[in-house]
Amino acid sequence: MTASTRAASPGMEVRPCVHVGWPFDDMAAMNRQYKEEADMKNVLFTVVARALVMTGLACSPAVAQDRVEELATYQGPDRQARLIEAAKKENGITIYHAYPALTNVMAAFTKKYGIKTRPWRAGSEAVLQRLTTEARGNRFEVDIVQNNAPENEAAHREKLLQAVRTPLTDDLIPQAVPAHREWVGITLDVWVAAYNTTKVKESELPKRYEDLQDPRWKGRLGIEANNHGWYGTLLSELGEQRGREIFNNIVATNGISARKGHSLLTTMVGSGEVPLALTVYNWNPEQLAAKGAPIKGLPIDPVIAQPSTVALMKKAPNPASAILFYEFVISEEGQRIMQGMSYVTTHKRLEHPLRNASLKFVDPAKALDMQAVWLADFEKTILKK
């Protein structure tokens, strides 16, 4: 059987094979046409590629990274105007964040600059995991990340972040601005106790952690299940041996129920299921009390805090827009939005009773280095694993 004939069954007429609708009479003509089309595509590709590079809309990863650094470190008097003009050629920003309320800041930012935001929210560990996984897969779509200081310190160690030089950091407290400047603190997460006002009398409120060894607290205490950073820093302040002894006694005498998530634990205090929780963020009970829940926060010395931070990605696809957001959230305008939602801001001019207290800060670098030790100690002492 050839290319143009087929074996026929009895009674079947044999006809040449016809290429219906095919414009070529021979293979040579087809090859010439393919070559002409390929040449034309190569010309068009070269023209488009050169145009994209000239306009800054497309570039190699190295060039893109250089552009992020150039914009992030530029200090000229036209800095703001330059960022706004460059942002007009970009496509909004993608933000990974842990704070639920950060969307309020995003809305105000979009209203001011007309720049759209694409948020993705998860827990602090999940945000960090997604950053590192995407980077290892050479996928660079996120512009800004908001996370706890230790998690963004880990991203710094992974060389995922870009330092930003901005005069606005002069208005922030020292703990908000690390030497490497690859993240900046926007608020302080201050760990406080929280109690249900219908389940706990003011006269029995603890003034020190030692007071929780009293049998009156049996079956009434709760704690967030992943607060080893708070625990490690607290033991450093109390003295490790003394602190560990206090908590061993509390657990042995009264028990401490663990719950995953500060918001969940706060809700359980508000409902009365957990009369007193040892570790919620200061803004958790304030926000719930504003909705009518019978709950109050209770700082117990030493009060531990850590910054919540934002960072610019080293390979941000929309760096000008991202830097505008970075600066908006640490500006007095952006900080007032956070203050209005019961957050302790890092802006020096926006005072808060807790920030004026004698806070003890988690060291983000130490928290990373000691994570395994602190976690094991926390689980052994508090969770009894």
Side-chain angles (χ1 to χ4, degrees), residues 125 223-232 235 244 247-248 251 256-258 260 370-385:
E125 294 177 358
I223 197 168
E224 205 280 328
N226 194 35
N227 278 156
H228 52 277
W230 162 84
Y231 179 73
L235 290 194
R244 198 172 288 113
F247 279 94
N248 272 322
V251 174
I256 303 178
S257 62
K260 180 68 173 175
M370 296 294 293
Q371 181 175 4
V373 174
W374 286 356
L375 180 59
D377 197 354
F378 180 78
E379 291 182 342
K380 179 182 179 181
T381 305
I382 307 295
L383 306 183
K384 294 299 180 184
K385 287 187 177 180

PDB file of all heavy atoms in Angstrom, residues 125 223-232 235 244 247-248 251 256-258 260 370-385:
ATOM      1  N   GLU A 125       3.100  30.604  59.774  1.00  0.00           N
ATOM      2  CA  GLU A 125       3.960  29.531  59.264  1.00  0.00           C
ATOM      3  C   GLU A 125       3.626  29.185  57.824  1.00  0.00           C
ATOM      4  O   GLU A 125       4.518  28.922  57.012  1.00  0.00           O
ATOM      5  CB  GLU A 125       3.839  28.304  60.158  1.00  0.00           C
ATOM      6  CG  GLU A 125       4.378  28.511  61.568  1.00  0.00           C
ATOM      7  CD  GLU A 125       4.168  27.299  62.460  1.00  0.00           C
ATOM      8  OE1 GLU A 125       3.560  26.318  61.986  1.00  0.00           O
ATOM      9  OE2 GLU A 125       4.611  27.335  63.619  1.00  0.00           O
ATOM     10  N   ILE A 223      -4.201  28.273  77.135  1.00  0.00           N
ATOM     11  CA  ILE A 223      -3.017  28.876  76.526  1.00  0.00           C
ATOM     12  C   ILE A 223      -3.029  28.570  75.037  1.00  0.00           C
ATOM     13  O   ILE A 223      -3.601  27.559  74.611  1.00  0.00           O
ATOM     14  CB  ILE A 223      -1.724  28.318  77.180  1.00  0.00           C
ATOM     15  CG1 ILE A 223      -0.522  29.217  76.857  1.00  0.00           C
ATOM     16  CG2 ILE A 223      -1.456  26.884  76.741  1.00  0.00           C
ATOM     17  CD1 ILE A 223       0.704  28.898  77.702  1.00  0.00           C
ATOM     18  N   GLU A 224      -2.430  29.439  74.240  1.00  0.00           N
ATOM     19  CA  GLU A 224      -2.304  29.168  72.806  1.00  0.00           C
ATOM     20  C   GLU A 224      -1.215  28.123  72.612  1.00  0.00           C
ATOM     21  O   GLU A 224      -0.171  28.170  73.256  1.00  0.00           O
ATOM     22  CB  GLU A 224      -1.952  30.460  72.048  1.00  0.00           C
ATOM     23  CG  GLU A 224      -2.388  30.453  70.583  1.00  0.00           C
ATOM     24  CD  GLU A 224      -1.435  29.675  69.690  1.00  0.00           C
ATOM     25  OE1 GLU A 224      -0.222  29.660  69.999  1.00  0.00           O
ATOM     26  OE2 GLU A 224      -1.898  29.070  68.707  1.00  0.00           O
ATOM     27  N   ALA A 225      -1.449  27.178  71.724  1.00  0.00           N
ATOM     28  CA  ALA A 225      -0.612  25.977  71.656  1.00  0.00           C
ATOM     29  C   ALA A 225       0.714  26.154  70.945  1.00  0.00           C
ATOM     30  O   ALA A 225       1.525  25.223  70.905  1.00  0.00           O
ATOM     31  CB  ALA A 225      -1.401  24.854  70.965  1.00  0.00           C
ATOM     32  N   ASN A 226       0.978  27.339  70.409  1.00  0.00           N
ATOM     33  CA  ASN A 226       2.207  27.515  69.634  1.00  0.00           C
ATOM     34  C   ASN A 226       2.986  28.739  70.111  1.00  0.00           C
ATOM     35  O   ASN A 226       3.630  29.418  69.312  1.00  0.00           O
ATOM     36  CB  ASN A 226       1.879  27.640  68.144  1.00  0.00           C
ATOM     37  CG  ASN A 226       3.107  27.477  67.272  1.00  0.00           C
ATOM     38  OD1 ASN A 226       4.003  26.709  67.585  1.00  0.00           O
ATOM     39  ND2 ASN A 226       3.154  28.211  66.179  1.00  0.00           N
ATOM     40  N   ASN A 227       2.946  29.019  71.401  1.00  0.00           N
ATOM     41  CA  ASN A 227       3.570  30.237  71.922  1.00  0.00           C
ATOM     42  C   ASN A 227       4.939  29.986  72.549  1.00  0.00           C
ATOM     43  O   ASN A 227       5.272  30.529  73.609  1.00  0.00           O
ATOM     44  CB  ASN A 227       2.658  30.903  72.949  1.00  0.00           C
ATOM     45  CG  ASN A 227       1.582  31.757  72.316  1.00  0.00           C
ATOM     46  OD1 ASN A 227       0.551  31.995  72.917  1.00  0.00           O
ATOM     47  ND2 ASN A 227       1.809  32.236  71.095  1.00  0.00           N
ATOM     48  N   HIS A 228       5.769  29.182  71.879  1.00  0.00           N
ATOM     49  CA  HIS A 228       7.091  28.886  72.417  1.00  0.00           C
ATOM     50  C   HIS A 228       8.015  30.105  72.403  1.00  0.00           C
ATOM     51  O   HIS A 228       8.918  30.213  73.229  1.00  0.00           O
ATOM     52  CB  HIS A 228       7.737  27.720  71.673  1.00  0.00           C
ATOM     53  CG  HIS A 228       7.756  27.879  70.187  1.00  0.00           C
ATOM     54  ND1 HIS A 228       6.675  27.564  69.388  1.00  0.00           N
ATOM     55  CD2 HIS A 228       8.716  28.337  69.354  1.00  0.00           C
ATOM     56  CE1 HIS A 228       6.973  27.791  68.130  1.00  0.00           C
ATOM     57  NE2 HIS A 228       8.208  28.273  68.080  1.00  0.00           N
ATOM     58  N   GLY A 229       7.805  31.060  71.460  1.00  0.00           N
ATOM     59  CA  GLY A 229       8.605  32.284  71.448  1.00  0.00           C
ATOM     60  C   GLY A 229       8.332  33.131  72.680  1.00  0.00           C
ATOM     61  O   GLY A 229       9.253  33.671  73.312  1.00  0.00           O
ATOM     62  N   TRP A 230       7.059  33.250  73.021  1.00  0.00           N
ATOM     63  CA  TRP A 230       6.661  33.952  74.252  1.00  0.00           C
ATOM     64  C   TRP A 230       7.244  33.236  75.462  1.00  0.00           C
ATOM     65  O   TRP A 230       7.809  33.873  76.355  1.00  0.00           O
ATOM     66  CB  TRP A 230       5.132  33.988  74.347  1.00  0.00           C
ATOM     67  CG  TRP A 230       4.585  34.283  75.710  1.00  0.00           C
ATOM     68  CD1 TRP A 230       4.405  35.507  76.276  1.00  0.00           C
ATOM     69  CD2 TRP A 230       4.160  33.318  76.691  1.00  0.00           C
ATOM     70  NE1 TRP A 230       3.883  35.373  77.546  1.00  0.00           N
ATOM     71  CE2 TRP A 230       3.730  34.043  77.828  1.00  0.00           C
ATOM     72  CE3 TRP A 230       4.090  31.928  76.721  1.00  0.00           C
ATOM     73  CZ2 TRP A 230       3.247  33.414  78.979  1.00  0.00           C
ATOM     74  CZ3 TRP A 230       3.619  31.296  77.864  1.00  0.00           C
ATOM     75  CH2 TRP A 230       3.190  32.045  78.973  1.00  0.00           C
ATOM     76  N   TYR A 231       7.135  31.920  75.488  1.00  0.00           N
ATOM     77  CA  TYR A 231       7.577  31.129  76.627  1.00  0.00           C
ATOM     78  C   TYR A 231       9.096  31.240  76.825  1.00  0.00           C
ATOM     79  O   TYR A 231       9.583  31.465  77.943  1.00  0.00           O
ATOM     80  CB  TYR A 231       7.168  29.674  76.422  1.00  0.00           C
ATOM     81  CG  TYR A 231       7.587  28.739  77.529  1.00  0.00           C
ATOM     82  CD1 TYR A 231       6.943  28.757  78.757  1.00  0.00           C
ATOM     83  CD2 TYR A 231       8.623  27.823  77.329  1.00  0.00           C
ATOM     84  CE1 TYR A 231       7.319  27.892  79.779  1.00  0.00           C
ATOM     85  CE2 TYR A 231       9.000  26.955  78.341  1.00  0.00           C
ATOM     86  CZ  TYR A 231       8.349  26.997  79.562  1.00  0.00           C
ATOM     87  OH  TYR A 231       8.726  26.141  80.564  1.00  0.00           O
ATOM     88  N   GLY A 232       9.853  31.112  75.735  1.00  0.00           N
ATOM     89  CA  GLY A 232      11.304  31.192  75.844  1.00  0.00           C
ATOM     90  C   GLY A 232      11.770  32.553  76.329  1.00  0.00           C
ATOM     91  O   GLY A 232      12.685  32.650  77.157  1.00  0.00           O
ATOM     92  N   LEU A 235      10.855  32.938  80.106  1.00  0.00           N
ATOM     93  CA  LEU A 235      11.788  32.240  80.984  1.00  0.00           C
ATOM     94  C   LEU A 235      13.102  33.002  81.109  1.00  0.00           C
ATOM     95  O   LEU A 235      13.730  33.011  82.178  1.00  0.00           O
ATOM     96  CB  LEU A 235      12.059  30.829  80.476  1.00  0.00           C
ATOM     97  CG  LEU A 235      10.934  29.798  80.571  1.00  0.00           C
ATOM     98  CD1 LEU A 235      11.483  28.394  80.349  1.00  0.00           C
ATOM     99  CD2 LEU A 235      10.190  29.871  81.891  1.00  0.00           C
ATOM    100  N   ARG A 244      10.591  27.802  84.885  1.00  0.00           N
ATOM    101  CA  ARG A 244      10.166  26.429  84.594  1.00  0.00           C
ATOM    102  C   ARG A 244       9.488  25.800  85.810  1.00  0.00           C
ATOM    103  O   ARG A 244       8.505  25.063  85.687  1.00  0.00           O
ATOM    104  CB  ARG A 244      11.384  25.619  84.165  1.00  0.00           C
ATOM    105  CG  ARG A 244      11.053  24.341  83.430  1.00  0.00           C
ATOM    106  CD  ARG A 244      12.298  23.688  82.866  1.00  0.00           C
ATOM    107  NE  ARG A 244      12.837  24.423  81.721  1.00  0.00           N
ATOM    108  CZ  ARG A 244      14.001  25.071  81.725  1.00  0.00           C
ATOM    109  NH1 ARG A 244      14.752  25.080  82.818  1.00  0.00           N
ATOM    110  NH2 ARG A 244      14.414  25.685  80.645  1.00  0.00           N
ATOM    111  N   PHE A 247       5.819  27.143  86.132  1.00  0.00           N
ATOM    112  CA  PHE A 247       4.864  26.551  85.190  1.00  0.00           C
ATOM    113  C   PHE A 247       4.678  25.058  85.432  1.00  0.00           C
ATOM    114  O   PHE A 247       3.586  24.527  85.201  1.00  0.00           O
ATOM    115  CB  PHE A 247       5.295  26.855  83.752  1.00  0.00           C
ATOM    116  CG  PHE A 247       4.890  28.230  83.301  1.00  0.00           C
ATOM    117  CD1 PHE A 247       5.771  29.292  83.407  1.00  0.00           C
ATOM    118  CD2 PHE A 247       3.615  28.485  82.831  1.00  0.00           C
ATOM    119  CE1 PHE A 247       5.402  30.571  83.020  1.00  0.00           C
ATOM    120  CE2 PHE A 247       3.225  29.744  82.442  1.00  0.00           C
ATOM    121  CZ  PHE A 247       4.120  30.804  82.549  1.00  0.00           C
ATOM    122  N   ASN A 248       5.702  24.393  85.895  1.00  0.00           N
ATOM    123  CA  ASN A 248       5.513  22.986  86.274  1.00  0.00           C
ATOM    124  C   ASN A 248       4.486  22.871  87.395  1.00  0.00           C
ATOM    125  O   ASN A 248       3.621  21.987  87.382  1.00  0.00           O
ATOM    126  CB  ASN A 248       6.849  22.379  86.715  1.00  0.00           C
ATOM    127  CG  ASN A 248       7.629  21.792  85.552  1.00  0.00           C
ATOM    128  OD1 ASN A 248       7.048  21.194  84.647  1.00  0.00           O
ATOM    129  ND2 ASN A 248       8.943  21.960  85.576  1.00  0.00           N
ATOM    130  N   VAL A 251       0.836  23.659  86.020  1.00  0.00           N
ATOM    131  CA  VAL A 251       0.278  22.540  85.260  1.00  0.00           C
ATOM    132  C   VAL A 251      -0.052  21.370  86.182  1.00  0.00           C
ATOM    133  O   VAL A 251      -1.112  20.735  86.059  1.00  0.00           O
ATOM    134  CB  VAL A 251       1.257  22.106  84.148  1.00  0.00           C
ATOM    135  CG1 VAL A 251       0.754  20.847  83.452  1.00  0.00           C
ATOM    136  CG2 VAL A 251       1.443  23.226  83.131  1.00  0.00           C
ATOM    137  N   ILE A 256      -3.446  23.215  82.266  1.00  0.00           N
ATOM    138  CA  ILE A 256      -3.638  24.307  81.298  1.00  0.00           C
ATOM    139  C   ILE A 256      -4.087  23.680  79.989  1.00  0.00           C
ATOM    140  O   ILE A 256      -3.361  22.859  79.406  1.00  0.00           O
ATOM    141  CB  ILE A 256      -2.349  25.119  81.054  1.00  0.00           C
ATOM    142  CG1 ILE A 256      -1.791  25.692  82.360  1.00  0.00           C
ATOM    143  CG2 ILE A 256      -2.617  26.248  80.065  1.00  0.00           C
ATOM    144  CD1 ILE A 256      -0.485  26.467  82.167  1.00  0.00           C
ATOM    145  N   SER A 257      -5.272  24.048  79.506  1.00  0.00           N
ATOM    146  CA  SER A 257      -5.750  23.508  78.234  1.00  0.00           C
ATOM    147  C   SER A 257      -5.178  24.334  77.090  1.00  0.00           C
ATOM    148  O   SER A 257      -5.128  25.570  77.156  1.00  0.00           O
ATOM    149  CB  SER A 257      -7.282  23.527  78.176  1.00  0.00           C
ATOM    150  OG  SER A 257      -7.777  24.849  78.249  1.00  0.00           O
ATOM    151  N   ALA A 258      -4.705  23.663  76.055  1.00  0.00           N
ATOM    152  CA  ALA A 258      -4.085  24.342  74.913  1.00  0.00           C
ATOM    153  C   ALA A 258      -5.056  24.413  73.746  1.00  0.00           C
ATOM    154  O   ALA A 258      -5.780  23.453  73.454  1.00  0.00           O
ATOM    155  CB  ALA A 258      -2.814  23.604  74.498  1.00  0.00           C
ATOM    156  N   LYS A 260      -5.283  25.942  69.559  1.00  0.00           N
ATOM    157  CA  LYS A 260      -4.516  26.425  68.413  1.00  0.00           C
ATOM    158  C   LYS A 260      -5.173  27.674  67.847  1.00  0.00           C
ATOM    159  O   LYS A 260      -6.304  27.648  67.367  1.00  0.00           O
ATOM    160  CB  LYS A 260      -4.455  25.342  67.334  1.00  0.00           C
ATOM    161  CG  LYS A 260      -3.681  25.728  66.089  1.00  0.00           C
ATOM    162  CD  LYS A 260      -2.210  25.868  66.341  1.00  0.00           C
ATOM    163  CE  LYS A 260      -1.445  26.078  65.039  1.00  0.00           C
ATOM    164  NZ  LYS A 260      -0.011  26.326  65.269  1.00  0.00           N
ATOM    165  N   MET A 370      16.810  29.455  68.620  1.00  0.00           N
ATOM    166  CA  MET A 370      16.395  28.666  69.782  1.00  0.00           C
ATOM    167  C   MET A 370      15.058  27.957  69.574  1.00  0.00           C
ATOM    168  O   MET A 370      14.525  27.369  70.519  1.00  0.00           O
ATOM    169  CB  MET A 370      16.287  29.587  71.004  1.00  0.00           C
ATOM    170  CG  MET A 370      17.589  30.214  71.435  1.00  0.00           C
ATOM    171  SD  MET A 370      18.766  28.965  72.035  1.00  0.00           S
ATOM    172  CE  MET A 370      17.925  28.423  73.522  1.00  0.00           C
ATOM    173  N   GLN A 371      14.529  28.005  68.373  1.00  0.00           N
ATOM    174  CA  GLN A 371      13.172  27.498  68.138  1.00  0.00           C
ATOM    175  C   GLN A 371      12.997  26.054  68.596  1.00  0.00           C
ATOM    176  O   GLN A 371      12.044  25.727  69.304  1.00  0.00           O
ATOM    177  CB  GLN A 371      12.817  27.614  66.660  1.00  0.00           C
ATOM    178  CG  GLN A 371      11.403  27.126  66.347  1.00  0.00           C
ATOM    179  CD  GLN A 371      11.022  27.371  64.896  1.00  0.00           C
ATOM    180  OE1 GLN A 371      11.822  27.830  64.096  1.00  0.00           O
ATOM    181  NE2 GLN A 371       9.794  27.066  64.553  1.00  0.00           N
ATOM    182  N   ALA A 372      13.916  25.185  68.207  1.00  0.00           N
ATOM    183  CA  ALA A 372      13.781  23.764  68.559  1.00  0.00           C
ATOM    184  C   ALA A 372      13.839  23.571  70.074  1.00  0.00           C
ATOM    185  O   ALA A 372      13.065  22.790  70.640  1.00  0.00           O
ATOM    186  CB  ALA A 372      14.869  22.946  67.867  1.00  0.00           C
ATOM    187  N   VAL A 373      14.743  24.284  70.733  1.00  0.00           N
ATOM    188  CA  VAL A 373      14.898  24.158  72.191  1.00  0.00           C
ATOM    189  C   VAL A 373      13.671  24.693  72.905  1.00  0.00           C
ATOM    190  O   VAL A 373      13.121  24.046  73.813  1.00  0.00           O
ATOM    191  CB  VAL A 373      16.166  24.907  72.656  1.00  0.00           C
ATOM    192  CG1 VAL A 373      16.265  24.900  74.180  1.00  0.00           C
ATOM    193  CG2 VAL A 373      17.405  24.285  72.033  1.00  0.00           C
ATOM    194  N   TRP A 374      13.235  25.899  72.505  1.00  0.00           N
ATOM    195  CA  TRP A 374      12.067  26.508  73.153  1.00  0.00           C
ATOM    196  C   TRP A 374      10.809  25.686  72.923  1.00  0.00           C
ATOM    197  O   TRP A 374       9.990  25.525  73.822  1.00  0.00           O
ATOM    198  CB  TRP A 374      11.873  27.930  72.642  1.00  0.00           C
ATOM    199  CG  TRP A 374      12.870  28.911  73.182  1.00  0.00           C
ATOM    200  CD1 TRP A 374      13.843  28.675  74.108  1.00  0.00           C
ATOM    201  CD2 TRP A 374      12.987  30.287  72.828  1.00  0.00           C
ATOM    202  NE1 TRP A 374      14.561  29.820  74.355  1.00  0.00           N
ATOM    203  CE2 TRP A 374      14.061  30.826  73.598  1.00  0.00           C
ATOM    204  CE3 TRP A 374      12.314  31.125  71.949  1.00  0.00           C
ATOM    205  CZ2 TRP A 374      14.459  32.168  73.486  1.00  0.00           C
ATOM    206  CZ3 TRP A 374      12.705  32.465  71.835  1.00  0.00           C
ATOM    207  CH2 TRP A 374      13.761  32.968  72.602  1.00  0.00           C
ATOM    208  N   LEU A 375      10.645  25.196  71.702  1.00  0.00           N
ATOM    209  CA  LEU A 375       9.457  24.399  71.392  1.00  0.00           C
ATOM    210  C   LEU A 375       9.429  23.118  72.215  1.00  0.00           C
ATOM    211  O   LEU A 375       8.387  22.750  72.772  1.00  0.00           O
ATOM    212  CB  LEU A 375       9.420  24.073  69.899  1.00  0.00           C
ATOM    213  CG  LEU A 375       8.231  23.246  69.411  1.00  0.00           C
ATOM    214  CD1 LEU A 375       6.918  23.955  69.708  1.00  0.00           C
ATOM    215  CD2 LEU A 375       8.353  22.965  67.912  1.00  0.00           C
ATOM    216  N   ALA A 376      10.566  22.453  72.310  1.00  0.00           N
ATOM    217  CA  ALA A 376      10.623  21.206  73.084  1.00  0.00           C
ATOM    218  C   ALA A 376      10.333  21.472  74.561  1.00  0.00           C
ATOM    219  O   ALA A 376       9.605  20.703  75.211  1.00  0.00           O
ATOM    220  CB  ALA A 376      11.998  20.568  72.920  1.00  0.00           C
ATOM    221  N   ASP A 377      10.865  22.565  75.087  1.00  0.00           N
ATOM    222  CA  ASP A 377      10.643  22.914  76.493  1.00  0.00           C
ATOM    223  C   ASP A 377       9.176  23.270  76.725  1.00  0.00           C
ATOM    224  O   ASP A 377       8.570  22.849  77.718  1.00  0.00           O
ATOM    225  CB  ASP A 377      11.542  24.093  76.871  1.00  0.00           C
ATOM    226  CG  ASP A 377      11.687  24.255  78.376  1.00  0.00           C
ATOM    227  OD1 ASP A 377      11.015  23.531  79.125  1.00  0.00           O
ATOM    228  OD2 ASP A 377      12.480  25.117  78.809  1.00  0.00           O
ATOM    229  N   PHE A 378       8.594  24.041  75.804  1.00  0.00           N
ATOM    230  CA  PHE A 378       7.194  24.435  75.914  1.00  0.00           C
ATOM    231  C   PHE A 378       6.285  23.212  75.890  1.00  0.00           C
ATOM    232  O   PHE A 378       5.360  23.083  76.690  1.00  0.00           O
ATOM    233  CB  PHE A 378       6.843  25.399  74.773  1.00  0.00           C
ATOM    234  CG  PHE A 378       5.434  25.891  74.756  1.00  0.00           C
ATOM    235  CD1 PHE A 378       5.029  26.893  75.614  1.00  0.00           C
ATOM    236  CD2 PHE A 378       4.494  25.366  73.873  1.00  0.00           C
ATOM    237  CE1 PHE A 378       3.720  27.372  75.610  1.00  0.00           C
ATOM    238  CE2 PHE A 378       3.190  25.831  73.852  1.00  0.00           C
ATOM    239  CZ  PHE A 378       2.798  26.835  74.726  1.00  0.00           C
ATOM    240  N   GLU A 379       6.556  22.313  74.974  1.00  0.00           N
ATOM    241  CA  GLU A 379       5.725  21.109  74.860  1.00  0.00           C
ATOM    242  C   GLU A 379       5.879  20.199  76.066  1.00  0.00           C
ATOM    243  O   GLU A 379       4.896  19.628  76.558  1.00  0.00           O
ATOM    244  CB  GLU A 379       6.082  20.352  73.569  1.00  0.00           C
ATOM    245  CG  GLU A 379       5.655  21.087  72.299  1.00  0.00           C
ATOM    246  CD  GLU A 379       5.961  20.300  71.047  1.00  0.00           C
ATOM    247  OE1 GLU A 379       6.797  19.364  71.120  1.00  0.00           O
ATOM    248  OE2 GLU A 379       5.389  20.617  69.981  1.00  0.00           O
ATOM    249  N   LYS A 380       7.087  20.085  76.570  1.00  0.00           N
ATOM    250  CA  LYS A 380       7.330  19.218  77.726  1.00  0.00           C
ATOM    251  C   LYS A 380       6.702  19.784  78.992  1.00  0.00           C
ATOM    252  O   LYS A 380       6.078  19.056  79.775  1.00  0.00           O
ATOM    253  CB  LYS A 380       8.828  19.028  77.915  1.00  0.00           C
ATOM    254  CG  LYS A 380       9.197  18.155  79.101  1.00  0.00           C
ATOM    255  CD  LYS A 380      10.709  18.037  79.257  1.00  0.00           C
ATOM    256  CE  LYS A 380      11.084  17.191  80.464  1.00  0.00           C
ATOM    257  NZ  LYS A 380      12.564  17.090  80.635  1.00  0.00           N
ATOM    258  N   THR A 381       6.847  21.110  79.183  1.00  0.00           N
ATOM    259  CA  THR A 381       6.386  21.728  80.421  1.00  0.00           C
ATOM    260  C   THR A 381       4.890  22.066  80.407  1.00  0.00           C
ATOM    261  O   THR A 381       4.164  21.751  81.347  1.00  0.00           O
ATOM    262  CB  THR A 381       7.179  23.020  80.709  1.00  0.00           C
ATOM    263  OG1 THR A 381       8.577  22.709  80.724  1.00  0.00           O
ATOM    264  CG2 THR A 381       6.785  23.640  82.035  1.00  0.00           C
ATOM    265  N   ILE A 382       4.451  22.706  79.318  1.00  0.00           N
ATOM    266  CA  ILE A 382       3.080  23.211  79.253  1.00  0.00           C
ATOM    267  C   ILE A 382       2.124  22.178  78.665  1.00  0.00           C
ATOM    268  O   ILE A 382       1.055  21.901  79.231  1.00  0.00           O
ATOM    269  CB  ILE A 382       3.006  24.503  78.432  1.00  0.00           C
ATOM    270  CG1 ILE A 382       4.024  25.540  78.950  1.00  0.00           C
ATOM    271  CG2 ILE A 382       1.586  25.067  78.435  1.00  0.00           C
ATOM    272  CD1 ILE A 382       3.744  26.034  80.349  1.00  0.00           C
ATOM    273  N   LEU A 383       2.509  21.612  77.526  1.00  0.00           N
ATOM    274  CA  LEU A 383       1.603  20.693  76.833  1.00  0.00           C
ATOM    275  C   LEU A 383       1.755  19.259  77.318  1.00  0.00           C
ATOM    276  O   LEU A 383       0.910  18.412  76.990  1.00  0.00           O
ATOM    277  CB  LEU A 383       1.843  20.770  75.327  1.00  0.00           C
ATOM    278  CG  LEU A 383       1.776  22.177  74.690  1.00  0.00           C
ATOM    279  CD1 LEU A 383       1.962  22.072  73.175  1.00  0.00           C
ATOM    280  CD2 LEU A 383       0.475  22.881  75.043  1.00  0.00           C
ATOM    281  N   LYS A 384       2.829  18.995  78.031  1.00  0.00           N
ATOM    282  CA  LYS A 384       3.091  17.652  78.557  1.00  0.00           C
ATOM    283  C   LYS A 384       3.136  16.586  77.460  1.00  0.00           C
ATOM    284  O   LYS A 384       2.590  15.490  77.618  1.00  0.00           O
ATOM    285  CB  LYS A 384       2.051  17.270  79.622  1.00  0.00           C
ATOM    286  CG  LYS A 384       2.128  18.112  80.888  1.00  0.00           C
ATOM    287  CD  LYS A 384       3.485  17.960  81.587  1.00  0.00           C
ATOM    288  CE  LYS A 384       3.573  18.782  82.854  1.00  0.00           C
ATOM    289  NZ  LYS A 384       4.923  18.705  83.490  1.00  0.00           N
ATOM    290  N   LYS A 385       3.800  16.937  76.342  1.00  0.00           N
ATOM    291  CA  LYS A 385       3.931  15.954  75.248  1.00  0.00           C
ATOM    292  C   LYS A 385       5.130  15.064  75.481  1.00  0.00           C
ATOM    293  O   LYS A 385       6.148  15.504  75.998  1.00  0.00           O
ATOM    294  CB  LYS A 385       4.079  16.700  73.914  1.00  0.00           C
ATOM    295  CG  LYS A 385       2.792  17.345  73.439  1.00  0.00           C
ATOM    296  CD  LYS A 385       2.978  17.904  72.041  1.00  0.00           C
ATOM    297  CE  LYS A 385       1.676  18.493  71.496  1.00  0.00           C
ATOM    298  NZ  LYS A 385       1.830  19.044  70.126  1.00  0.00           N
TER     299      LYS A 385
END
